[in-house]
């Protein structure tokens, strides 16, 4: 029996009509000019709250990048808390991109921290084994375990072959699917999801086959080169089960005074591009 | 040319005469009774500052567990900052046990955060490839990449075989050694270290052979079952190159009013046990 995340995510995608997820990766130097003066953490907060307002009603999922907030120490963490709560209030699902991974005892603390700031789910490393993933699920969070990432250097680890012919990423996918069976939601998808980059669609199809009931969180769309066709390769049998993240192409769409309107237009375009995803590929 | 961490660590081990490292993993329920009332973050701070005072002059390295502090949100992060600074002022080397792992852009933020709170080094996941480790080095931090951990569930990933006969952990060790060659300190050891659990000494010997010039951070000693002989298997050719962590067996040595004295006695015993490590094993 699941913790409810998989079903909550399905609801958010259904309500918005799109699997679009906007990544909150605020970097001071890239903020609209009018926000750049003053205290960094305050600028981050104003920006992120503006992005949430701009996306409200169009996009159902937000993915704050923990690193961008942690960079500003305890002040940054306070902002992260407020941003997560604002997204929840806007009826968005919040996936905290924190890429944690530690033994049970520490995992419980990380889970408690993530739940405390208002996250619905968290991204995780699985290198220490699936027992280190379970504490987050027991705390009521959904998880996305890193399986295949889209950065070039990942090939040196994730792309290597095991003695049974699987890649390291495929081995991790099987671990994810195994744990996921124990955490199924009512809607037939699991609270144990995976991160699979959009720029690896050839491999992505094989990974999806190994994780038929997992939600896939797909970074690498847009600015990083992933296309709608790359994402299509990752759909499950019901032509769903993906959440597609874009960050820079949406949140930095406009640097001027009317930046919130610019973000709104970019978010609408992004949401629309993915709306047709479930339709058969034109031949 | 290295960032200086490897040499700084060597200095700390030499000055204290022991590779002992004390893990700051404070959990509210386990604190001495007199500290448990009042605000959690304040209790954590008082406890950790007491442990640092108790260990001063006997132990050269402290390893705060980030999760224990993050659990208390921004207030916890402020305490972590103060604890790291106090350890630095006590002339200890600080290894932040944060087990981060993300692409370059986010890695830069995590590195900036770790350096900002006063860490000398940080623990990391290498699953996204060594390019995701480099930003920490460029920021002047030492790193310890997770290679082989001592939790039972880790076998399901780290213990599996690659097609070339290496284990996944050995593959990761080779990645660490490769990157490490580019970050050598003046003393002949690298700023790129590895985490190798003390309870895996049979495998540990093979991993050490693959990383002859790496500092190994060794958890699992004491309360978790690792022995001096397990650690001996991890020494390098110069009978050094390890830092051995104990946490619970030292910091919770005494729960009464005289807890600081209890920690001091336990830290002294721990430091002493490891002092003879460099001597040949009795036959």
């Amino acid at each position: 029996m699941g913790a409810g995340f998989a079903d909550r995510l399905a609801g958010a995608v259904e309500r918005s009509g799109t699997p679009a997820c906007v990544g909150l990766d605020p970097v001071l130097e890239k903020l609209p000019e009018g926000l750049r003066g003053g205290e960094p953490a305050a600028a981050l907060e104003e920006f992120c709250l503006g992005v949430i307002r701009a996306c409200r009603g169009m996009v159902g999922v937000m993915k704050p990048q923990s690193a961008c907030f942690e960079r500003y120490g305890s002040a940054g963490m306070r902002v992260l808390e407020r941003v997560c709560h604002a997204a929840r209030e806007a009826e968005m699902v919040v996936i905290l991109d924190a890429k944690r991974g530690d033994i049970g005892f520490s995992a419980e603390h990380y889970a408690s921290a993530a739940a405390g700031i208002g996250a619905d789910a968290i991204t995780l490393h699985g290198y220490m084994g699936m027992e280190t993933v379970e504490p987050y699920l027991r705390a009521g969070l959904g998880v996305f375990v890193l399986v295949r990432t889209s950065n070039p250097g990942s090939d040196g680890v994730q792309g290597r072959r095991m003695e049974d012919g699987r890649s390291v990423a495929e081995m991790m996918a099987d671990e994810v699917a195994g744990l996921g069976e124990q955490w199924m939601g009512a809607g037939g998808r699991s609270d144990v999801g995976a991160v699979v980059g959009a720029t690896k669609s050839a491999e992505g199809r094989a990974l999806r086959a190994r994780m038929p009931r997992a939600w896939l969180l797909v970074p690498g769309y847009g600015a990083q080169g992933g296309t709608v066709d790359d994402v299509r390769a990752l759909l499950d049998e019901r032509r769903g089960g993906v959440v597609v993240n874009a960050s820079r192409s949406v949140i930095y769409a406009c640097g001027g005074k009317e930046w919130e309107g610019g973000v709104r237009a970019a978010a609408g375009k992004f949401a629309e591009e993915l709306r047709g995803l479930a339709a058969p590929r034109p031949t």
Side-chain angles (χ1 to χ4, degrees), chain A:
Chain A
M1 176 53 197
F5 171 71
D7 299 323
R8 238 166 29 247
L9 182 57
V13 169
E14 207 169 292
R15 276 196 306 278
S16 61
T18 173
C21 163
V22 169
L24 292 170
D25 305 25
V27 179
L28 205 59
E29 308 84 65
K30 292 187 180 170
L31 298 193
E33 262 188 43
L35 298 183
R36 259 179 266 164
E39 211 262 312
L44 252 54
E45 180 170 359
E46 194 178 340
F47 179 66
C48 290
L49 296 182
V51 171
I52 292 168
R53 273 193 305 272
C55 293
R56 186 168 191 154
M58 280 192 309
V59 170
V61 190
M62 286 277 151
K63 182 174 76 64
Q65 167 54 257
S66 192
C68 295
F69 300 88
E70 288 181 46
R71 172 178 186 157
Y72 296 104
S74 50
M77 291 308 288
R78 268 197 308 278
V79 170
L80 178 58
E81 290 163 12
R82 288 198 284 264
V83 166
C84 289
H85 282 291
R88 292 272 286 242
E89 275 175 26
E91 286 177 41
M92 293 159 162
V93 163
V94 177
I95 300 171
L96 182 64
D97 197 357
K99 299 191 177 69
R100 297 299 194 260
D102 210 323
I103 52 168
F105 153 82
S106 301
E108 283 170 24
H109 291 318
Y110 282 130
S112 172
I117 65 175
D120 293 286
I122 185 169
T123 57
L124 296 177
H125 280 274
Y127 188 74
M128 296 178 79
M130 291 304 111
E131 72 173 14
T132 64
V133 171
E134 290 173 339
Y136 299 88
L137 295 158
R138 285 197 296 267
L141 294 166
V143 302
F144 291 94
V145 178
L146 292 167
V147 167
R148 191 64 171 115
T149 59
S150 45
N151 60 307
S154 64
D155 292 354
V157 174
Q158 300 160 24
R160 294 193 189 269
R161 288 282 143 202
M162 311 293 296
E163 66 173 358
D164 55 15
R166 295 180 296 175
S167 67
V168 168
E170 286 171 341
M171 176 267 287
M172 193 66 82
D174 290 346
E175 295 292 313
V176 165
L179 178 62
E181 287 301 320
Q182 300 164 45
W183 293 89
M184 294 301 300
R189 293 194 184 103
S190 176
D191 294 334
V192 185
V195 175
V196 177
T199 56
K200 309 270 178 191
S201 75
E203 289 178 63
R205 209 178 301 269
L207 292 171
R208 164 53 84 187
R210 289 175 178 273
M211 300 179 286
R213 304 172 84 186
W215 277 101
L216 302 185
L217 173 61
V218 186
Y221 185 83
Q224 286 173 65
T227 66
V228 172
D229 282 341
D230 291 326
V231 176
R232 196 171 271 121
L234 299 174
L235 294 176
D236 63 15
E237 283 190 343
R238 292 145 65 192
R239 299 193 160 277
V242 300
V243 192
V244 182
N245 184 76
S247 177
R248 284 170 282 170
S249 59
V250 172
I251 69 176
Y252 302 131
C254 173
K257 267 194 178 167
E258 304 300 320
W259 66 271
E260 237 180 277
V263 171
R264 187 160 182 85
K269 183 169 165 284
F270 170 46
E272 198 52 42
E273 276 170 22
L274 295 176
R275 207 177 291 277
L277 197 62
R281 185 177 176 172
T283 48

